[in-house]
Amino acid sequence: MSPTQETAGPSAPALAFPAGFVWGTATASYQIEGAVAEDGRTPSIWDVFSHTPGRVAGGDTGDVADDHYHRYREDVAIMRELGVGSYRFSVAWPRITPQVGPSALGPVNEAGVDFYSRLVDELLAAGITPAATLYHWDLPQALEDAGGWTDRATAERFAEYAEVVASRLGDRIGTFITLNEPWCSAYLGYASGVHAPGRTEPASALAAVHHLNLAHGLATAAVRRAAPQARVALTLNLAWVRPASGSEADAAAARRVDGLQNRVFLDPTTRGSYPADVLEDTASVTDWSFVQDGDLELVHQPVDALGLNYYSPTLVRAWDGTSPRDESDGHGDGAASAWPACEDVEFPRQPGPYTDMGWSIDPRGLHQLLVRLARELPEVDLYVTENGAACPDVVSEDGAVHDDDRIAYLQQHLAAVHQAIEDGARVRGYYLWSLLDNFEWAYGYSKRFGIVHVDYATQRRTVKDSGRWYAGVVARGGLDASQP
Ligand code: FCB
């Protein structure tokens, strides 16, 4: 079924989204680009991590990935064919200033800037609005060697890099997202170690939290200097945290996790302070002396928009130590070791159904988080900057990918977004993760999130049924009741 056939119906969709709602897709540099040693790019923490035996499933690396660096024109053409209105991609820092070190940014690599410049021109020519994430986890390895996000110099260099990107591309990019999911960078990178750089130091994870917040604040100011007309946003993977029971102990566990995943990022950036309970909860791990005088004013920069990434809910239970700690939640982020000062919290298995990641499917969390953000930050535009599902896709004999499971997931989650808008949330857009199957971090190529299938042996792209379905949603501006 072609998008045009599917959009032919004259009637308005049952769930119509507001006029001007942005329908997008999202990717990230290391997950799709490949070409890791081309045009002056130097290694990022993910190059080093993925090349370390045992770190990534199947020994997979991003060396080639989707070869998007060479095939970006084809990928933009697919988005144009699907009618996608906006594309959220990320800029690889090691392409822009490959010689960066802790004390100096180093020269700008024109070949690196040029790649993104060509990509942006290609998007604009296709009528697709670019939205650029400045940091989607590919930190230059040289900075990690000097301490990475535990070192405040990383935040300072990040702001300088952000200024370079905004000054070179800000004439054509209307939205810059400073960071993607700093929770993952800090806790998965420095506490549980399942992401690069693979460190398991709870105190370092909290230092990373602060320096990521600082990086966001400094970069926001830098982008505003270099591209005053651009909108600046921050993307967080906020958790819809639910206690396993009505007990006081479970409620306390839920409050702790809400503090460490949600409020430790939201409060400093939107209110200029760290939550007192988080400082107290983590006092045995760190004294937070890495927060210097004046930092919180720097972090507290009003954002034009907030991006929410949502996949799955979070269920927590107090653990009293009498039985083995339950860490069976399929939502990898829930791995207890990711949480500093949460030794007495467990993350039990959640009810199904599950995606191929083992993540519990529950669109209520998306609705709840959007409504919460709208209540707490009524003046801020909200975007769902990622949402999607990994499914065990196969190319059928007819050459198509029949991913009804993904369509059902997307339908339910878009309905939740629609409900949040009905309930008053200022949700301005939705970016489906992901345009393409890609390198899914520690899972390598074993998990497929794309609405476009990628055959990694041939780099052949095949639009899945979900891609055609999404094209229909975009063309109609909403969901039909008759859809699955
Ligand atoms: C998010 C990441 C994104 C992708 C999805 C599945 O946490 O931001 O890069 O891997 O999960």
Side-chain angles (χ1 to χ4, degrees):
M1 184 167 29
S2 81
T4 18
Q5 279 167 339
E6 212 189 1
T7 59
S11 57
L15 297 184
F17 282 68
F21 189 82
V22 175
W23 298 98
T25 59
T27 64
S29 45
Y30 190 71
Q31 297 182 273
I32 64 166
E33 285 178 359
V36 290
E38 275 181 55
D39 293 339
R41 182 187 182 278
T42 50
S44 76
I45 54 175
W46 270 97
D47 295 279
V48 172
F49 188 78
S50 66
H51 278 272
T52 306
R55 293 301 207 170
V56 173
D60 293 343
T61 74
D63 288 2
V64 178
D66 293 337
D67 195 30
H68 171 79
Y69 193 77
H70 300 114
R71 294 169 196 263
Y72 69 93
R73 287 201 174 85
E74 183 188 345
D75 296 335
V76 172
I78 293 170
M79 279 189 272
R80 186 215 281 256
E81 183 204 326
L82 297 179
V84 166
S86 182
Y87 176 51
R88 171 180 178 243
F89 62 95
S90 79
V91 176
W93 185 353
R95 291 196 194 280
I96 304 297
T97 62
Q99 306 308 326
V100 63
S103 49
L105 186 65
V108 175
N109 175 31
E110 295 301 336
V113 173
D114 191 54
F115 167 68
Y116 296 104
S117 186
R118 283 180 282 122
L119 171 64
V120 167
D121 286 345
E122 193 76 11
L123 289 164
L124 292 173
I128 299 167
T129 305
T133 306
L134 295 167
Y135 185 72
H136 201 128
W137 307 353
D138 37 8
L139 184 74
Q141 178 64 32
L143 290 177
E144 171 56 25
D145 293 342
W149 287 113
T150 68
D151 183 8
R152 69 187 283 122
T154 297
E156 291 161 0
R157 299 294 82 74
F158 176 69
E160 295 165 2
Y161 147 76
E163 190 155 357
V164 168
V165 177
S167 67
R168 299 305 184 89
L169 302 175
D171 56 335
R172 285 160 292 154
I173 297 181
T175 303
F176 288 99
I177 297 164
T178 54
L179 305 175
N180 176 71
E181 303 190 358
W183 184 90
C184 293
S185 301
Y187 298 91
L188 303 183
Y190 292 86
S192 67
V194 299
H195 278 190
R199 286 158 67 174
T200 49
E201 307 155 8
S204 296
L206 293 169
V209 165
H210 178 61
H211 294 132
L212 284 153
N213 282 331
L214 185 62
H216 161 72
L218 294 172
T220 301
V223 171
R224 293 224 158 97
R225 275 196 301 275
Q229 72 293 348
R231 290 154 54 80
V232 187
L234 168 67
T235 279
L236 299 173
N237 57 323
L238 300 177
W240 182 45
V241 187
R242 284 174 310 150
S245 79
S247 76
E248 236 172 74
D250 286 354
R255 179 195 55 71
R256 293 253 287 278
V257 169
D258 178 66
L260 283 166
Q261 180 144 0
N262 300 335
R263 291 178 287 113
V264 83
F265 298 105
L266 282 171
D267 282 18
T269 52
T270 65
R271 298 165 201 248
S273 58
Y274 279 110
D277 61 330
V278 171
L279 302 182
E280 218 172 281
D281 290 342
T282 56
S284 61
V285 176
T286 176
D287 60 6
W288 291 77
S289 53
F290 40 75
V291 182
Q292 297 186 2
D293 281 353
D295 277 7
L296 284 160
E297 287 77 65
L298 297 172
V299 174
H300 184 206
Q301 304 281 332
V303 285
D304 299 303
L306 199 71
L308 170 68
N309 291 357
Y310 176 82
Y311 291 92
S312 188
T314 303
L315 183 68
V316 302
R317 188 159 63 202
W319 181 55
D320 63 9
T322 54
S323 50
R325 195 176 182 192
D326 189 344
E327 297 200 47
S328 55
D329 179 27
H331 195 188
D333 300 356
S337 59
W339 303 88
C342 282
E343 291 77 15
D344 50 0
V345 177
E346 57 182 2
F347 296 85
R349 181 122 181 112
Q350 304 197 52
Y354 307 101
T355 68
D356 200 33
M357 300 293 285
W359 296 351
S360 167
I361 299 173
D362 194 338
R364 288 177 302 165
L366 182 53
H367 171 259
Q368 292 286 313
L369 287 168
L370 289 170
V371 169
R372 169 179 174 177
L373 288 172
R375 191 176 60 239
E376 292 178 5
L377 303 166
E379 73 291 357
V380 175
D381 280 348
L382 304 176
Y383 288 82
V384 177
T385 38
E386 283 180 29
N387 175 244
C391 301
D393 302 316
V394 284
V395 181
S396 317
E397 275 173 21
D398 61 3
V401 179
H402 300 302
D403 55 342
D404 291 350
D405 38 6
R406 179 174 290 105
I407 293 173
Y409 178 99
L410 295 171
Q411 164 88 22
Q412 289 167 23
H413 286 76
L414 277 168
V417 175
H418 187 270
Q419 186 59 50
I421 296 172
E422 296 271 286
D423 293 343
R426 271 163 60 160
V427 190
R428 303 300 195 209
Y430 174 91
Y431 290 83
L432 196 163
W433 185 273
S434 180
L435 173 66
L436 303 166
D437 290 340
N438 60 49
F439 176 81
E440 179 44 40
W441 308 115
Y443 297 87
Y445 299 101
S446 67
K447 304 295 176 194
R448 295 181 177 272
F449 274 92
I451 53 170
V452 176
H453 181 273
V454 176
D455 178 334
Y456 295 110
T458 62
Q459 290 296 340
R460 190 188 147 88
R461 275 80 163 134
T462 304
V463 176
K464 302 179 191 177
D465 285 359
S466 59
R468 304 278 171 219
W469 174 86
Y470 191 53
V473 172
V474 173
R476 275 190 295 272
L479 303 169
D480 274 349
S482 60
Q483 288 172 325

